[in-house]
Amino acid sequence: MTPFTRCRSFSGGSTVVDSNPPVLTLYDTMYIPFGDPRSRAGIFDHGQKLILQSWYFRGAIPSEEDRNIWTPYSLKEMSLVVEDSDCVYGGWLHEHYGHFILSSLSRFWNHRLINPSTKVVVHSLKPLEHWFKQAWFIAIIDALGIDRSQLLRLDQPTRFRSLILAGPAFQEECFAHKVFARSMNDLGKRITAESKIADLDNTPVYFSKVRLDSGVQKIYNESDICDILERNGVRIVFPEAMSLLEQVTLWYSERTFISFMGSSLYTSIFAPGKDILNISPTSTIPSSYSLIDTINEARTIYLSLNTNIVNNMGAGNGFHTNFRITDPAKVGECILRIVDMKERARANAAHVPVWPRNGFWRPNDTDKSENGLVNLALRCIGNQSSVHPWTTREAGETTNGSLSGDFNFHTELEFGAWWEVDLLQEAYIHRIRVFNRSDDQQDQCSRFLITVRDYDGLTVASHRQDNPISFGGVDADPFVWILSSPVMGRIVRIEILTKGYLHLEQVEVLGTMTQTGMAD
């Protein structure tokens, strides 16, 4: 069985907004710092009410503290007054890297608001001297074009004659404006302006927490997974040991990234359009990840570890929660299979040979029998004999080139249930690979018939599996039918020979558009 369950829902809101956040010019406002004995911190209007666009909210439902929008201070009590009219509110400086990327930077989507004479007003629990000891903070401020002298953090309640406030372009676990991705992509280019970006290659990158001293979650025996991945050509990196420049450059230089949930994945906002495998040791994934991936056009698979393969060891060793995986070898192997499928799908879309990296679909590294073949079925139209009323997944997902261990279509209970794909044109078919769902329902497809039909609907090749067999998907070897010689066909159908349900994850039809050449 697969150690994973595909995550299709997230904790928190997931609203994506096309328009830009508001930009407000405020007059006669009050700045209340953190730690004030009389009032909560924030930006308040002259009516002593919190200006909601200035506050740090997380999620759609305000906490009890967030609902307190009043301050006892009035304008006439403000002994300190900032007369400068060129002041922009920069929000909270979050010390946690992930919150800084998502929430602190969410105020800096409009670079035109800040020029060399602008004062950037911020709230911070710690003095500015602390921030200028953080290399990643300095790199971001420099890329934003903000001089250290422009930052303004106040220790006392202060009145501002005029203050420009840009609404947040991202609110954690709630919403994201598309402009946040555009502005952060631009910031990423500024950060890496002096760095040489290598050409994209096919080396997957795994973000490891093995060397991390503290945090939210940690996999106790993650090093075992790292060993398996590294032996199979995956690059293991440790984000906390890298500079921001090195991290952003890495995101620009590579295509595929693998990680258990963590702030290192938020750095992806600086580089658009990546393939990401995001794994949660629990059943939920915060919606902030999906929001970032959506606006940044990332192609992400979200997985949760099944409860039968992970143990919660509680807090300790600097982490809120520690987990132990009971079968790290299985987890590592399944990750490799998922990444391998992703790479081959990308190769097919680019019309280059399908040649698996990690050797899971071929006997050994010297087997080049698939060299020159492409997946003719990739993203083609699928159809099925019936649709189970409890599933919303469509037959077309079975050719999307993405593995997780789940099923991508599900028929009703019937005799001879079938699924088929239309290649849209005739092609030379060499072999067919079928990926089963990876749970305790694999035996539903143990006796089956695969047929290949031509343009006129005539059967030109078939394979009948009368003796029951068990085959896998992401968790074990899939079923592969290698035709004795290539045939010209257009429709490939898989049909069970019994009464039951048919539910598979992926089907690949490997071949060429010409008899001897590659697909074009």
Side-chain angles (χ1 to χ4, degrees):
M1 289 177 60
T2 176
F4 301 122
T5 298
R6 187 145 192 173
C7 180
R8 297 179 183 268
S9 61
F10 303 87
S11 60
S14 56
T15 300
V16 174
V17 186
D18 292 325
S19 60
N20 292 348
V23 177
L24 310 175
T25 301
L26 310 173
Y27 300 99
D28 290 319
T29 56
M30 296 180 287
Y31 171 105
I32 310 299
F34 286 119
D36 186 88
R38 291 180 56 193
S39 172
R40 67 178 300 176
I43 303 294
F44 295 83
D45 63 20
H46 54 269
Q48 300 176 248
K49 303 296 189 300
L50 178 72
I51 297 172
L52 296 181
Q53 288 286 352
S54 71
W55 189 247
Y56 165 64
F57 290 99
R58 186 175 181 181
I61 302 175
S63 65
E64 287 297 325
E65 180 187 4
D66 292 340
R67 294 172 187 172
N68 176 18
I69 64 171
W70 178 79
T71 181
Y73 285 106
S74 63
L75 279 177
K76 64 182 180 181
E77 295 180 76
M78 300 289 106
S79 58
L80 293 179
V81 180
V82 176
E83 300 286 355
D84 195 333
S85 61
D86 191 9
C87 293
V88 171
Y89 185 59
W92 292 20
L93 298 185
H94 292 268
E95 190 163 7
H96 184 276
Y97 174 78
H99 295 306
F100 187 94
I101 296 297
L102 297 184
S103 294
S104 297
L105 286 182
S106 72
R107 303 258 176 204
F108 293 90
W109 55 269
N110 191 339
H111 300 314
R112 291 175 295 179
L113 295 178
I114 301 174
N115 58 62
S117 64
T118 303
K119 289 294 184 183
V120 181
V121 183
V122 296
H123 273 92
S124 173
L125 288 169
K126 295 187 176 181
L128 293 178
E129 291 76 14
H130 163 80
W131 287 100
F132 294 127
K133 296 177 183 177
Q134 312 299 319
W136 59 266
F137 175 79
I138 295 173
I140 289 174
I141 291 299
D142 288 347
L144 287 170
I146 299 174
D147 187 79
R148 301 182 187 192
S149 62
Q150 292 179 256
L151 292 177
L152 181 60
R153 172 188 178 269
L154 300 161
D155 295 320
Q156 299 181 49
T158 303
R159 175 178 180 174
F160 281 82
R161 296 292 189 190
S162 175
L163 182 65
I164 297 174
L165 187 151
F170 191 96
Q171 183 173 310
E172 296 177 48
E173 298 175 35
C174 191
F175 65 77
H177 290 259
K178 291 183 178 179
V179 71
F180 185 55
R182 295 195 297 270
S183 61
M184 291 303 103
N185 291 172
D186 180 65
L187 185 60
K189 293 176 182 177
R190 296 187 191 187
I191 291 172
T192 59
E194 303 299 324
S195 179
K196 183 178 180 180
I197 305 296
D199 293 335
L200 292 174
D201 65 26
N202 293 328
T203 303
V205 175
Y206 178 84
F207 291 121
S208 173
K209 296 183 182 180
V210 167
R211 300 178 184 174
L212 197 62
D213 294 328
S214 61
V216 179
Q217 297 176 340
K218 186 170 184 176
I219 306 298
Y220 177 77
N221 53 342
E222 184 188 8
S223 59
D224 295 336
I225 299 173
C226 292
D227 291 343
I228 296 168
L229 298 182
E230 192 168 28
R231 287 199 304 269
N232 286 274
V234 177
R235 178 182 175 186
I236 309 299
V237 300
F238 307 92
E240 70 279 2
M242 303 171 70
S243 68
L244 182 69
L245 173 60
E246 290 171 332
Q247 291 187 59
V248 178
T249 300
L250 180 67
W251 277 99
Y252 271 99
S253 302
E254 305 292 353
R255 285 193 178 98
T256 303
F257 297 84
I258 311 158
S259 180
F260 283 88
M261 283 194 318
S263 297
S264 59
L265 287 175
Y266 292 141
T267 311
S268 67
I269 192 63
F270 297 118
K274 300 301 179 177
D275 289 315
I276 300 173
L277 180 59
N278 185 345
I279 308 169
S280 171
T282 67
S283 60
T284 59
I285 292 181
S287 62
S288 292
Y289 291 101
S290 64
L291 283 168
I292 285 290
D293 294 338
T294 299
I295 63 174
N296 210 30
E297 298 181 351
R299 299 169 294 274
T300 304
I301 299 175
Y302 304 97
L303 300 175
S304 297
L305 285 176
N306 287 329
T307 55
N308 63 352
I309 203 166
V310 62
N311 296 325
N312 188 328
M313 302 170 64
N317 301 316
F319 290 86
H320 297 302
T321 313
N322 293 271
F323 297 92
R324 184 181 182 278
I325 294 176
T326 58
D327 192 350
K330 173 65 75 173
V331 171
E333 179 181 318
C334 289
I335 288 174
L336 289 167
R337 291 175 183 272
I338 292 169
V339 171
D340 185 75
M341 172 68 98
K342 270 281 191 182
E343 289 185 3
R344 290 187 293 111
R346 180 171 55 243
N348 274 274
H351 301 291
V352 297
V354 176
W355 192 356
R357 154 186 296 276
N358 298 310
F360 286 113
W361 319 131
R362 50 196 166 97
N364 53 62
D365 289 340
T366 62
D367 177 16
K368 297 183 175 65
S369 60
E370 289 188 9
N371 197 16
L373 304 183
V374 297
N375 180 10
L376 302 165
L378 184 65
R379 301 188 183 95
C380 285
I381 299 171
N383 195 15
Q384 61 196 74
S385 56
S386 60
V387 179
H388 195 284
W390 291 359
T391 179
T392 58
R393 293 165 222 176
E394 300 178 356
E397 292 187 26
T398 313
T399 58
N400 64 10
S402 179
L403 276 178
S404 69
D406 208 344
F407 61 87
N408 276 329
F409 75 93
H410 197 307
T411 69
E412 285 270 35
L413 178 66
E414 58 184 317
F415 186 87
W418 56 263
W419 174 92
E420 68 180 21
V421 60
D422 185 348
L423 305 180
L424 301 181
Q425 56 185 319
E426 288 191 330
Y428 286 92
I429 297 172
H430 292 239
R431 62 180 62 185
I432 295 168
R433 184 181 290 124
V434 183
F435 297 84
N436 210 344
R437 61 188 291 178
S438 299
D439 55 15
D440 58 359
Q441 298 298 313
Q442 288 184 336
D443 290 342
Q444 292 282 349
C445 188
S446 59
R447 297 178 59 228
F448 53 88
L449 173 68
I450 303 178
T451 56
V452 178
R453 303 199 306 274
D454 63 13
Y455 182 85
D456 296 318
L458 300 176
T459 298
V460 293
S462 65
H463 171 81
R464 186 180 181 93
Q465 186 66 46
D466 284 311
N467 296 323
I469 61 168
S470 179
F471 64 94
V474 73
D475 62 328
D477 287 337
F479 175 80
V480 182
W481 172 31
I482 301 176
L483 283 73
S484 56
S485 61
V487 298
M488 280 287 286
R490 172 173 172 170
I491 306 292
V492 174
R493 174 178 287 197
I494 302 170
E495 178 181 346
I496 59 174
L497 299 176
T498 59
K499 182 177 182 180
Y501 302 100
L502 180 59
H503 31 53
L504 302 169
E505 180 164 23
Q506 288 289 305
V507 176
E508 291 182 315
V509 180
L510 302 178
T512 60
M513 295 303 298
T514 60
Q515 190 166 10
T516 58
M518 279 177 45
D520 45 38

